Structure formats: C-alpha cells, structure tokens
Amino acid sequence: MTTLETSPVIGAGLDRVDAPLKVTGAAYYPNDFTFPGMAHAALVRSTIAAGRISAIDTSAAEEAPGVLTVITYRNAPKLERGPMTLLGGSPPAPLQDDRILHYGQHVAIVVAETAEQARDAASLVRVEYEATKALLDVDDPRAEILNNPWGLDTERGDVAAGFAQADVVVEGTYTTPDNTNNPLGLMATIATWHGDSLTIHDSTQWPHNVRSSLATIFKIPESGIRVLAPFVGGGFGAGLRMWQHVILTVVAARKVNRPVKLVLTRPEMFTLVGHRPNSVQQIKIGATRDGDLIAIEHHVISSVAMEDDDYEPVSFGSAVSYACPNVFTRDRQARLNIPSPGSMRGPAEGQGNWALECAIDEVAVALGMDPLEFRLRNYAENNPLLKLPWSSKALRECYLHGAERFGWSRRTPQPGSMRDGRWLVGYGLAGVSYPFYQVPCQARASVRRDGSAYVRSAATDIGTGTYTVMTQLAAELLGLSVNQVHFGLGDSDMPYSPQAGGSGLTGALGNAIHAACRRLVQEFLYVVRDDQDSPLRGATVDDVAVTDGRIHRVGDPDSGEAYTDILARHGLEELSADGRSTPPQPEELGMALSGAFGAKFVEVRIDPDLGLLRVARVVSVIDGGRILNEKTATSQIIGGTVGGISQALFEETATDEVTGRIANATFGDYLMPVNADVPDMDVLFAGGPDRATAVGTKGVGEIGLVGIAAAIGNAVYHATGRRIRSLPITIDQLL
C-alpha cells in the first residue's frame, strides 16, 4: 500500500469512463440545465475602448415584451472586488461606475422571460459616450509600465562580460499576437438564490474559486454557496478565473428573485473570458566557438488590462532551460485599454519558448553546428537557478528517441537543400519544458457494503481525462476493478481542489487520492485491530497490500479478508477517509521540482512560388513522469500539438488600432486549423515516475503546445533560409 510498484490498472489505455454519458447526450453541461421559472439574460457591451458613458437610455428595453429588469451602473449594487487567488487578483466588479476601460466592456445586463426576448431588448439599450484616445499598443509612451510584476526576473553571473567573451552573438526581436482561447462550448452561468444561499452552474475550471469569490463579493458564507460543474465544454484557461458575467448573473437572479441563465455569444467570448496576451521579446544569446552557451539576455513586454492583472512570466523559461553561466531575464507589462488577458494553454512558456528556441537555432546555424548537437552540448543536468538536481528529467532521452523516430539524421544542414518535387522540405526541432506547479488539494474515499468505492474531490474535467485517470488511480490503490470505483467531481461541496490548469491538477489530486486511499485502508485496519476473528488483527498499513477487493498481509494473499466482510461483520454500511496533498519543498527534498520536459520534431513543406506552408509530420517525445493512462495522455499531447500548429500558422486576435474593436471575433474570421491542416502525429513518452511525489506524475496538459511554434519556425528556416520572428507565420512572410 505504500508504493505503486505493480500497476495493472494504472498506465492502461483505458477508454474514458465518462464517454458513454457524453456520446448519449446524458452528460449535462451548464448550458443544458433548466429550472422552473428560469429567466434569461443578455449583455450590452461598450462600443468604445476608453472614455465614459455620458447617457444611457433603457426605457425601450424595459418596455419590450418579456423584460423583467435592466441593470446598469445606475442601479447595480455596489460590490467589492473579489479576493486574491492562487492565480492572482480577481477581476474588478462590473457596473460600478460610468468609466469604459475596453471595447466590449459590460454596460448593462437585460433579463427577460426568454433568451430571444433578452437579446432583442438588449439591442434597444441606447448608450452615448465621451470617448478618449485608447491605449492599444505596448509601445505607446503613455502606457503605464509594470516592472517585474511577479518578482521573477532573474540575474546570474555577468551577462555583459559573457557577451564580451562570446565568439558568436545572435540577437533579434520576436513577437507573438493576442490569441483567444475559444473552447467550443460557449461559457454559461445559471444562478439560483434560495433565500440567502446560492446555487451556481458554471463553465468553470475551478468551482472552489467561484464559491470563495462570490462569498467575498456578496458577503455570504461559503457554506451558503454551491458551485456545480460536473462537465465543462473545454476551457484552455478561459475558465480559470471567475469572470464578471458570473457576478452579473448572480446580481440579476437576486433582482428578479428567479433562476437566471446567461450564455455568452461567440463575440462575447473574445472580450469577456480572457485571452493570451501579445508579447514583444528581445533576446540575445552568446556562445563560444566550441558551442558552449556563455550568455543569454531575454527582455519581454506584454499587455495587461487597465485595472486587472495576469500572471504571464514569459522570459522565465530562459533562466532554467540551458546550462549557461550568465543569464538575465526581465518581464514588463504595459497597461492598455484591452479586455483582461488570462491564461491560455501553455501560458507564458507558449510565448517565451518561441523566442528562446528559435534564437538557440540561430546560434547553432551561426556556429555551423547541428541544432540537436548544440542543445545536447548545453544540456542543464541540474536546475540552473537552484543548483539542485531535478526530481526527474529525461529530456536527453526525449531528444535522442525523437531524433531516431523522426529520422533527424537524414537532415542536410544547408537551408533549401531538401526538396520533394516542387516542395521545399524543412526539418526543425525545439526543446521544451513546463514549470512544476502543484498546490494543496483534498479528496475523500469511501468503500461501501456492496464493495464499491466512491472517491471525490471538487475538481473539474475539461476534457483532459480527470474522471478516467482518477478512477484508475483509486482502483489501483484500493485493489478494486475500475467498474467498482465511481469518481465524483465538479461540486464545491466536495473536498477542496485547485483549478484544472497549469498542468497541476493530476499531481495535486492524484497525491490527495493516494493519501485518502491509504488512510481508508488504515481505517479498515483500525476496525479489525482487536478483532479475534480477523487475520488482519494488529496489522498496520505498512504490513498489507490490497488485491481484488481484499486487504491481505504482504506476501500472503490468503491471510486477509474482503472489505465487504469487514463492513458486514461490524455492522457498517461504509467507511470513509480524507486525504490531502501539499506540494513538496525543494530544500527538504534536496531536489528541484520538475515539470514536464519534451522534444518536438517537425517537418514542413513549402511551395516557393505560392508561399504555401504545410506541416507534414510532428514527432513529440514527452517526459511526463508516471503516465496514468497512455491513451488520455497521448490525446493531451495531440490536442496541444494542434494548438501549437494553430499558434504558429493561424491564430491572431486582430484589434482595430483606432477603436479597440476585435475585428475577427467569430469562427468565420478567427483562423484555426481544420483536419486538412493537421498531419499524422507521433507521440512517445520517455523517463519514469518523478521522485518528488508519491504518485510520480507530471502534468502534460501544457507541454503538448509549447515548442511546436518554434519547431515549425526552425523548420521554415531550414526549408527557405528565411528566419521568421513574428507569429503567426503567413504566406506574405514566405513570398
């Protein structure tokens, strides 16, 4: 019970346990719920990016059929801002004054009997503005600059001296645009008041954050709020924060004293639930003639909203990725009249890795070295900041296995030297990592009289496979079959769980379940410790193993008894136990905590006359620690790879530079890859369990995206000799 040495359930490519509910339509998402007397809401958004409301006329809307109320800053309750969270501050409360801070800002919410009536009435609200010139560019000298906003800037060695000693120095400016998360499911909220208590159905990746935030804002006990999100239609980070539309739905439900549902439109998804912020990155790298890195300098400025914050340390990866003695990284943010940015899959690393790994390739080219050889030569065996060995790192194996699988040795170094008919062929690679992230988590496990187990925690499953892998883990730890375990999540009344994000949930939740299941076995042993009829009398948890629904002494499968027999003999319907996990501390372990590592290999084809670019092959080799389910983990890497192709070649949230209006806020205008743009993908896993935690996992949700853009950019250079430094890579850049 103390180890997971044998794992007949863990690691198996088990089909998703929630799949039958989803394919039969029995999985209810927030938008699927309806309640007696439920009203519907629609939003009115600003049509300027900066200024004030000079007049607002709601009379026509209030007189429209079915309308129950119209709420503006004039009649909205005064609300305080939500609490500080693990991901930073809460967004400001909506409708608190007449100021406009970004295009698309909430200026009113309309509640009516039907969704159609609400939308129609919302179009009747008339708003006049006193507009001012908006701040929309990080280079605008009027913008307030936040220096080192998270205290993560780094400096080691003497960067100036390093560059002075370098034989080769490469520097350039790399840029990334705004991207928008765009989960397929439109985000929805239903709020229902029951006296002074509140029930919320919400498209959230973090039910407990919604509960604690609403408790602070509306000054009610957390125990009086229940947040439900058993199924969420994607997220990619959009559901990590509790956004203002949730608050407005709660306000509206209290005002009309009925349940209220609000479903965002697709254009609203572009302005109300976050986006990946743009970045301008200046990177400079120096190396010796022998290929040793001697200095790295990485400066970043990215955008942030006027009165909000966003955790996005873009340059930080450059401080820990390579064994380089002299490194300086710096992040700044410019306050602009834009919708609030937020985490989007692979936040910070998705942008920073683009600059770092392309610049690393530039140095290799300048030295005349193979890009793979150059990376291996400067491999960081230990964490360069902490000077401690990693708790696990199989990046070297990722490079070597990936190169063999991809056929990297067939690459000829000269740009433009490889062709297939009229197509130019390019090979590119990128090394990647994603930081360790884990926070405290709790879980509860129960075994019932019928031999089944119920394990639960207030996590969410946004399509990553949490239902499935946690069912597998609990089944293994309790010695049960998968069909004997039910895993519950998505309910804030369950034990506390952090967000499904940052590649941290599997580790935090898995270790909490490990603790709960171990404690549960101990509870069974407590029951029989003085039982003369039990072969387990006097045994401790370290003396036993669990197999086929039975606890037995280690090495003696016959010396034990079933959970069901213990419960029946002692007149118990079930036994339960709680478990919790806390993140380990590097100083106590003597190890640097490792996130996932990986190597990405990409082949591109380019038509030199038309500038057409096609991704032909992708090989991803990932060190993800212990893989609980190879099928769902592979799916995560495939999905992330599609997102990386999208970041590299398609996605750009286009903001009008005068008005601040997002010009492509529909799926018809916002480009994303379709099946024809996505090649066959090869995914392999390397390494083994991470040493820092009991379960040994590392998150793989973000690592699939990170590095794909850089590998594509490097492949484009190899095919054409053109070094592209701005995303997305478009036809005009290749002509």
Side-chain angles (χ1 to χ4, degrees):
M1 187 61 202
T2 59
T3 66
L4 296 173
E5 292 298 331
T6 58
S7 302
V9 179
I10 291 173
L14 185 71
D15 290 342
R16 294 174 184 263
V17 298
D18 50 326
L21 292 176
K22 290 180 175 178
V23 300
T24 60
Y28 268 54
Y29 295 81
N31 191 22
D32 294 324
F33 287 91
T34 187
F35 300 99
M38 187 172 74
H40 297 263
L43 298 170
V44 182
R45 298 182 298 144
S46 70
T47 55
I48 66 169
R52 291 184 177 274
I53 298 171
S54 59
I56 185 165
D57 183 358
T58 61
S59 58
E62 290 167 342
E63 295 170 2
V67 170
L68 302 173
T69 190
V70 180
I71 303 170
T72 71
Y73 78 93
R74 291 177 173 173
N75 61 345
K78 294 303 176 185
L79 302 171
E80 66 179 70
R81 191 167 182 165
M84 181 63 66
T85 76
L86 293 171
L87 299 181
S90 298
L95 302 183
Q96 295 302 289
D97 54 43
D98 62 357
R99 295 178 304 147
I100 301 298
L101 301 180
H102 67 84
Y103 196 104
Q105 177 182 317
H106 309 90
V107 295
I109 181 170
V110 178
V111 185
E113 296 288 350
T114 69
E116 293 77 12
Q117 289 173 331
R119 286 194 294 269
D120 179 66
S123 70
L124 301 177
V125 175
R126 297 289 175 256
V127 186
E128 297 177 13
Y129 302 96
E130 294 177 2
T132 57
K133 187 177 181 181
L135 292 167
L136 298 169
D137 192 322
V138 295
D139 293 325
D140 193 316
R142 299 174 298 149
E144 177 189 357
I145 302 298
L146 307 180
N147 292 299
N148 194 14
W150 316 284
L152 290 176
D153 289 0
T154 68
E155 183 173 5
R156 69 173 180 268
D158 187 332
V159 171
F163 284 120
Q165 298 168 26
D167 298 308
V168 170
V169 175
V170 168
E171 58 184 315
T173 299
Y174 285 81
T175 64
T176 63
D178 292 339
N179 294 161
T180 302
N181 307 56
N182 275 315
L184 184 61
L186 296 170
M187 301 190 82
T189 302
I190 304 174
T192 306
W193 286 93
H194 315 276
D196 291 330
S197 62
L198 175 66
T199 300
I200 296 285
H201 291 78
D202 189 46
S203 304
T204 180
Q205 294 172 231
W206 193 3
H208 269 280
N209 181 54
V210 175
R211 185 176 78 167
S212 61
S213 297
L214 291 175
T216 297
I217 293 167
F218 290 94
K219 301 187 184 307
I220 55 180
E222 288 191 24
S223 59
I225 301 174
R226 188 179 188 188
V227 180
L228 298 167
F231 294 97
V232 181
F236 314 111
L240 290 176
R241 306 181 77 189
M242 195 203 70
W243 297 105
Q244 293 177 328
H245 71 273
V246 179
I247 302 171
L248 288 177
T249 308
V250 174
V251 168
R254 175 171 269 179
K255 182 73 178 282
V256 301
N257 197 28
R258 291 166 59 174
V260 171
K261 175 191 283 190
L262 172 65
V263 181
L264 299 184
T265 65
R266 182 57 60 184
E268 288 167 351
M269 294 282 286
F270 277 78
T271 58
L272 303 181
V273 292
H275 64 275
R276 188 194 305 279
N278 65 345
S279 71
V280 178
Q281 306 179 51
Q282 292 161 342
I283 191 163
K284 182 178 180 181
I285 300 180
T288 67
R289 190 172 291 104
D290 293 332
D292 294 321
L293 284 173
I294 195 168
I296 298 175
E297 189 170 6
H298 194 172
H299 295 257
V300 180
I301 186 166
S302 54
S303 55
V304 71
M306 277 295 176
E307 294 186 353
D308 201 2
D309 57 29
D310 175 42
Y311 181 79
E312 209 86 25
V314 175
S315 73
F316 185 75
S318 293
V320 295
S321 293
Y322 290 98
C324 180
N326 307 295
V327 178
F328 180 87
T329 66
R330 184 187 187 199
D331 271 280
R332 297 180 299 150
Q333 290 180 308
R335 288 208 178 277
L336 304 179
N337 292 113
I338 60 171
S340 294
S343 297
M344 183 172 169
R345 194 171 195 170
E349 289 295 318
Q351 301 97 287
N353 180 274
W354 156 248
L356 174 64
E357 286 298 301
C358 286
I360 287 289
D361 247 51
E362 290 198 55
V363 178
V365 169
L367 289 168
M369 290 186 68
D370 181 285
L372 176 58
E373 179 188 349
F374 183 59
R375 286 172 169 84
L376 290 171
R377 184 178 182 90
N378 293 282
Y379 190 84
E381 295 288 354
N382 297 323
N383 182 297
L385 286 178
L386 299 179
K387 305 289 193 291
L388 292 172
W390 300 99
S391 56
S392 62
K393 184 179 184 181
L395 179 56
R396 188 181 300 277
E397 290 87 340
C398 292
Y399 280 133
L400 298 177
H401 294 338
E404 182 179 1
R405 188 70 163 248
F406 183 78
W408 183 258
S409 62
R410 296 194 298 270
R411 176 186 183 271
T412 56
Q414 185 65 30
S417 62
M418 297 177 67
R419 281 182 174 266
D420 183 3
R422 64 177 290 106
W423 294 91
L424 295 169
V425 177
Y427 285 6
L429 74 90
V432 299
S433 63
Y434 201 80
F436 174 91
Y437 175 75
Q438 186 179 316
V439 294
C441 184
Q442 300 172 17
R444 181 170 299 135
S446 306
V447 169
R448 298 160 169 162
R449 179 76 75 90
D450 63 3
S452 66
Y454 178 39
V455 184
R456 60 274 199 198
S457 182
T460 52
D461 187 339
I462 55 173
T464 53
T466 303
Y467 273 116
T468 305
V469 297
M470 295 306 153
T471 298
Q472 289 177 269
L473 180 60
E476 177 65 27
L477 292 168
L478 293 173
L480 299 171
S481 65
V482 168
N483 59 15
Q484 289 177 289
V485 176
H486 172 64
F487 183 71
L489 53 68
D491 184 344
S492 65
D493 279 358
M494 294 177 178
Y496 174 83
S497 171
Q499 73 277 13
S503 290
L505 181 61
T506 297
L509 180 54
N511 287 306
I513 289 174
H514 185 281
C517 292
R518 178 179 170 86
R519 179 67 183 272
L520 180 55
V521 172
Q522 181 68 72
E523 291 296 324
F524 273 93
L525 295 176
Y526 284 155
V527 170
V528 300
R529 62 185 170 184
D530 298 320
D531 187 343
Q532 298 288 345
D533 297 324
S534 176
L536 297 171
R537 178 172 176 252
T540 70
V541 71
D542 295 322
D543 300 328
V544 301
V546 289
T547 310
D548 296 330
R550 299 176 72 254
I551 307 173
H552 60 85
R553 293 184 182 271
V554 173
D556 187 3
D558 295 328
S559 182
E561 58 181 324
Y563 296 120
T564 52
D565 292 339
I566 295 173
L567 292 171
R569 193 167 68 253
H570 291 270
L572 300 171
E573 291 301 316
E574 69 174 29
L575 273 180
S576 299
D578 292 339
R580 64 179 63 228
S581 65
T582 55
Q585 298 302 310
E587 298 79 8
E588 296 176 5
L589 291 175
M591 296 184 291
L593 303 175
S594 301
F597 293 94
K600 310 295 178 71
F601 294 82
V602 170
E603 177 185 330
V604 301
R605 305 290 180 98
I606 297 174
D607 186 311
D609 297 321
L610 301 178
L612 295 177
L613 169 59
R614 297 287 183 263
V615 178
R617 289 188 298 140
V618 180
V619 173
S620 299
V621 189
I622 306 298
D623 167 18
R626 185 187 296 277
I627 301 300
L628 299 183
N629 183 320
E630 190 165 337
K631 180 179 289 188
T632 57
T634 299
S635 178
Q636 282 294 287
I637 302 305
I638 290 173
T641 302
V642 174
I645 293 171
S646 193
Q647 179 193 25
L649 304 181
F650 297 97
E651 290 193 61
E652 181 175 12
T653 306
T655 299
D656 184 272
E657 61 185 18
V658 176
T659 66
R661 181 181 70 89
I662 294 176
N664 59 341
T666 71
F667 278 175
D669 298 310
Y670 187 80
L671 297 183
M672 292 179 284
V674 297
N675 286 346
D677 301 307
V678 179
D680 288 338
M681 286 178 264
D682 204 357
V683 177
L684 298 86
F685 295 100
D690 186 77
R691 296 179 293 163
T693 64
V695 179
T697 60
K698 299 196 284 191
V700 297
E702 326 292 340
I703 199 77
L705 180 144
V706 179
I708 294 297
I712 290 174
N714 293 333
V716 167
Y717 173 80
H718 181 232
T720 65
R722 294 190 180 191
R723 180 63 66 181
I724 308 298
R725 294 192 178 99
S726 62
L727 294 179
I729 301 170
T730 53
I731 289 176
D732 57 296
Q733 294 171 297
L734 298 173
L735 287 173

